[in-house]
Amino acid sequence: MTEDRLKNASRRQFIKGVIAAGAVVSSSAYLFRSIPLSGQPTAAGSVERLMTLNVNGQQRRVDVMRQETLAMTLRYKLGLTGTKIGCDRSECGACTVLIDDVPRYSCSVLTHSVRGRRIVTIEGLAAGDGTLHPVQQAVVDEQGFQCAFCMPGFVMATVGYLKSNPSPTREELAHAVSGNLCRCQDYNKILTAMMRGAELMRRA
Amino acid sequence: MAVIRDVMPAFELFQPATVDETLGLLERYGADAWIMAGGLDSFDWLKDRIKRPAVVVDLSQMMDLRGVRDVGGGLEIGALTTLTDLVRHPAVQQRFGLLAQAAELVASPQIRHQGTIGGNVSQDTRCWYYRSGWSCYRAGGNICYADSPTAVNREHAILGASRCVAVSPSDTAPALIALGAEFVLRSRGGERVVAAEDYFVGPDINITQMTVRRPDELLTTIRVPDRFAGAQFYFEKIRDRQVWDFPLVNVASAMTLSGETIQEIRLAVGAVAARPLRLTAVELAVAGKTRNEQTAAMAGELAVDGAVPLRHNSYKILLMQNLVKRAIRGGPMQGEGG
Ligand SMILES: Cc1cc2nc3c(=O)[nH]c(=O)nc-3n(C[C@H](O)[C@H](O)[C@H](O)COP(=O)(O)OP(=O)(O)OC[C@H]3O[C@@H](n4cnc5c(N)ncnc54)[C@H](O)[C@@H]3O)c2cc1C
Ligand code: FES
Ligand code: FES
């Protein structure tokens, strides 16, 4: 059993490694594509590709294309695949992360625009020892989701909202997560789980 | 409709820190430069590869032009103020609730946390033929696909169409027009101030642009005068889903009353024409009248005078008429849907 787990874990790591390498290879095509700007050299104020991102409390050095979105960087450069891409058009919420505590759609944020800002993804919620964040624990307790593709987005939107309103009514919380869609469609169960998360947070 | 592809096509990226730097870049690159504030209208265009600017001027690192200032009873709103910050600002809530209401009804929480007021009033139309890259009038071609016999045009114009039947999508624009706001545009050459309703253009004047902004200009500030501070406001937006969706029709009005007599009123309607329409004829007709059912009914009829429906949007005429009625009356009639 333990061995099996280890095997699975390393297989997962391996797959992630391949994904990351693939992204680097495909991005080199962009690296060398130059843009005709009436022959001018890169102007002052233009952005350097190599940057440091503050993600889940860590400083991560990463090479980012100018046109890259945060969702792409998180998933394919930093291996943080908990952030999902559903629509890539600001229309579903699956990609929601916190930027300076505010829930935003990472599919619609240029990575270069959040240099120096505090980014938190679903991977950054649990404590170092693996203890789940209260809202995550509530998801487990209440079995709030079905396929759970939308879950990281809902959890991040909720965690962000609870920072400004720790004791929301069910209606207020529904409004706060109204920018998140679920295809499996049991919003009531989701809300029950999120409300329980709020309660667990108040108790903690 | 949207297709997820790997990444957007490459562009050169600038992140100016000041207004002056921005104006320098706009002067230098002109129509090749794309201003990105919150980016929430921009990303669709870039991801779908319908617009391919060589240069993106991203204003995310600029600390100027953010926030609301209280000036002598009125407001000065920086163009980069997010819709959420606008909605939460005490002066906006207390004295200009009309604007708070309109901004609160935009899209979704995440979009309001990031989308700016400048971007909201400067966004392009949602006509899907145009946004999908069909070469229509607005895109420089010589046909309107939304006004052809088989067109799907439930969301399109009923007023002011001229070849193109696209509509203005903004929720905050009618509110700003009703409040008598002014927009400040800056370029290296100087500054000009235009009344909110004159910021927007219809296809009869310019078929490829929604606003009078020149490529070298930056919208810096929106000024809201104190004239209608604390007045009687009415805002209503009708949409298919209660989150994300653009208005099918929206209405905004600001009114001062003396007893039950309407003293002064400004009224604007969105999503019925290419520009948000200020209804001056209605304003004149109801001023001095008693605010009652009869005045409201008269206003509603006058508002849709001359409206021409397309194949699938005649419902908008009745919708606009009823919303104007409600704006004058101050709400739905008893027994009428909310
Ligand atoms: C899914 C979805 C739903 C939406 N629903 C609604 C809705 O219900 N109601 C509504 O009103 N809007 C809606 N929007 C439209 C819009 O994205 C947001 O309202 C937002 O306010 C736009 O602001 P931004 O700063 O993100 O725009 P940006 O994309 O940064 O800018 C929009 C346009 O304005 C120009 N621009 C921006 N700032 C300036 C400036 N300071 N000076 C000159 N030009 C400038 C840009 O070049 C660009 O052309 C929706 C968008 C999406 C993606
Ligand atoms: S993936 Fe970002 S909102 Fe859908
Ligand atoms: S649980 Fe499946 S999408 Fe929400």
Side-chain angles (χ1 to χ4, degrees):
Chain A
M1 176 75 189
T2 326
E3 214 185 300
D4 250 60
R5 268 235 207 104
L6 274 178
K7 255 194 217 151
N8 278 340
S10 60
R11 188 169 161 270
R12 223 177 136 75
Q13 282 313 113
F14 174 73
I15 291 171
K16 279 192 188 175
V18 171
I19 290 172
V24 171
V25 171
S26 69
S27 66
S28 63
Y30 291 90
L31 184 61
F32 299 112
R33 186 195 287 183
S34 63
I35 307 146
L37 277 180
S38 41
Q40 282 153 350
T42 310
S46 161
V47 168
E48 290 301 323
R49 287 185 42 147
L50 203 59
M51 69 183 301
T52 303
L53 272 186
N54 179 340
V55 184
N56 298 332
Q58 285 181 315
Q59 301 292 333
R60 307 275 308 257
R61 282 298 272 175
V62 55
D63 178 8
V64 177
M65 291 174 280
R66 294 173 181 97
Q67 73 274 27
E68 198 169 309
T69 60
L70 182 58
M72 291 276 179
T73 310
L74 292 171
R75 289 180 55 83
Y76 305 125
K77 298 273 177 74
L78 301 179
L80 297 169
T81 52
T83 299
K84 305 301 179 201
I85 299 179
C87 64
D88 202 27
R89 291 295 186 283
S90 319
E91 287 172 16
C92 76
C95 64
T96 303
V97 301
L98 300 186
I99 299 173
D100 288 344
D101 288 341
V102 177
R104 305 249 301 258
Y105 296 141
S106 63
C107 72
S108 302
V109 169
L110 279 186
T111 308
H112 278 286
S113 73
V114 291
R115 195 183 314 117
R117 315 279 294 272
R118 258 184 316 113
I119 301 157
V120 178
T121 70
I122 190 83
E123 289 90 344
L125 291 185
D129 65 359
T131 309
L132 293 180
H133 183 282
V135 176
Q136 291 176 305
Q137 189 57 52
V139 167
V140 176
D141 294 352
E142 296 289 338
Q143 292 288 297
F145 293 83
Q146 296 182 44
C147 81
F149 187 85
C150 65
M151 184 270 286
F154 269 98
V155 170
M156 298 316 290
T158 303
V159 170
Y161 180 70
L162 292 176
K163 287 181 195 279
S164 59
N165 181 6
S167 312
T169 62
R170 201 174 165 90
E171 218 165 299
E172 284 169 336
L173 196 61
H175 189 247
V177 297
S178 63
N180 293 74
L181 281 185
C182 171
R183 278 302 295 267
C184 303
Q185 295 281 349
D186 196 344
Y187 291 112
N188 252 325
K189 276 195 88 159
I190 295 176
L191 264 183
T192 301
M194 299 297 109
M195 283 301 281
R196 170 132 181 92
E199 190 193 318
L200 292 181
M201 269 188 87
R202 288 194 299 271
R203 277 204 232 139
Chain B
M1 220 186 312
V3 183
I4 300 179
R5 297 188 176 85
D6 51 353
V7 280
M8 290 176 265
F11 46 72
E12 184 55 283
L13 179 64
F14 292 97
Q15 298 187 318
T18 63
V19 171
D20 280 343
E21 257 179 76
T22 309
L23 298 181
L25 288 164
L26 295 182
E27 183 185 53
R28 182 149 152 215
Y29 295 112
D32 286 336
W34 181 283
I35 298 175
M36 186 179 281
L40 289 162
D41 187 34
S42 308
F43 280 117
D44 284 354
W45 289 113
L46 305 180
K47 287 179 178 176
D48 291 339
R49 289 138 164 90
I50 306 299
K51 308 234 172 170
R52 304 185 70 147
V55 172
V56 169
V57 179
D58 165 30
L59 305 182
S60 67
Q61 307 303 305
M62 193 148 88
M63 287 306 119
D64 302 348
L65 309 187
R66 283 175 207 279
V68 181
R69 279 203 306 152
D70 212 320
V71 279
L75 303 175
E76 271 199 16
I77 306 169
L80 295 179
T81 308
T82 64
L83 297 173
T84 298
D85 286 345
L86 198 58
V87 171
R88 288 188 186 153
H89 197 277
V92 178
Q93 285 181 354
Q94 286 155 21
R95 301 205 308 277
F96 302 97
L98 183 66
L99 185 54
Q101 260 180 294
E104 172 84 64
L105 290 172
V106 170
S108 72
Q110 286 93 326
I111 288 178
R112 293 191 293 275
H113 292 338
Q114 178 172 330
T116 66
I117 183 77
N120 192 266
V121 296
S122 307
Q123 62 177 309
D124 214 334
T125 182
R126 304 301 297 187
C127 171
W128 46 80
Y129 296 99
Y130 169 59
R131 286 186 88 96
S132 302
W134 297 52
S135 116
C136 65
Y137 286 124
R138 192 163 283 282
N142 59 4
I143 185 174
C144 173
Y145 293 96
D147 194 13
S148 68
T150 54
V152 180
N153 49 27
R154 178 173 166 269
E155 278 83 356
H156 290 75
I158 52 169
L159 283 161
S162 166
R163 293 169 293 153
C164 169
V165 297
V167 296
S168 157
S170 169
D171 280 312
T172 62
L176 289 166
I177 291 175
L179 291 170
E182 291 178 331
F183 292 8
V184 182
L185 290 160
R186 273 185 64 189
S187 68
R188 279 293 271 266
E191 187 178 288
R192 62 175 174 143
V193 180
V194 297
E197 68 253 41
D198 298 330
Y199 183 63
F200 304 96
V201 284
D204 49 338
I205 307 289
N206 188 336
I207 207 163
T208 61
Q209 267 187 244
M210 303 289 285
T211 73
V212 298
R213 189 183 76 82
R214 295 190 315 255
D216 66 332
E217 284 179 317
L218 180 72
L219 174 61
T220 56
T221 313
I222 293 175
R223 293 187 189 140
V224 182
D226 64 354
R227 191 157 132 224
F228 285 104
Q232 292 266 333
F233 296 133
Y234 192 78
F235 188 88
E236 189 168 354
K237 166 182 182 175
I238 303 296
R239 49 183 165 175
D240 289 323
R241 295 178 303 174
Q242 294 312 304
V243 185
W244 274 295
D245 278 355
F246 286 86
L248 294 169
V249 179
N250 59 17
V251 67
S253 70
M255 184 192 293
T256 55
L257 290 162
S258 156
E260 275 308 296
T261 306
I262 300 171
Q263 279 191 307
E264 200 186 0
I265 178 169
R266 281 174 70 106
L267 179 69
V269 177
V272 295
R275 52 190 293 194
L277 289 183
R278 180 174 169 201
L279 303 180
T280 324
V282 177
E283 292 173 8
L284 286 172
V286 303
K289 297 253 168 19
T290 308
R291 182 194 208 181
N292 59 21
E293 200 48 40
Q294 204 186 342
T295 308
M298 180 267 286
E301 271 170 42
L302 186 57
V304 294
D305 191 27
V308 182
L310 300 164
R311 183 149 175 238
H312 297 292
N313 73 356
S314 53
Y315 76 95
K316 272 199 181 185
I317 298 183
L318 196 56
L319 192 52
M320 172 171 165
Q321 183 174 348
N322 280 332
L323 289 188
V324 169
K325 241 163 127 176
R326 288 179 180 192
I328 301 296
R329 195 202 282 133
M333 259 209 325
Q334 280 219 317
E336 215 176 69

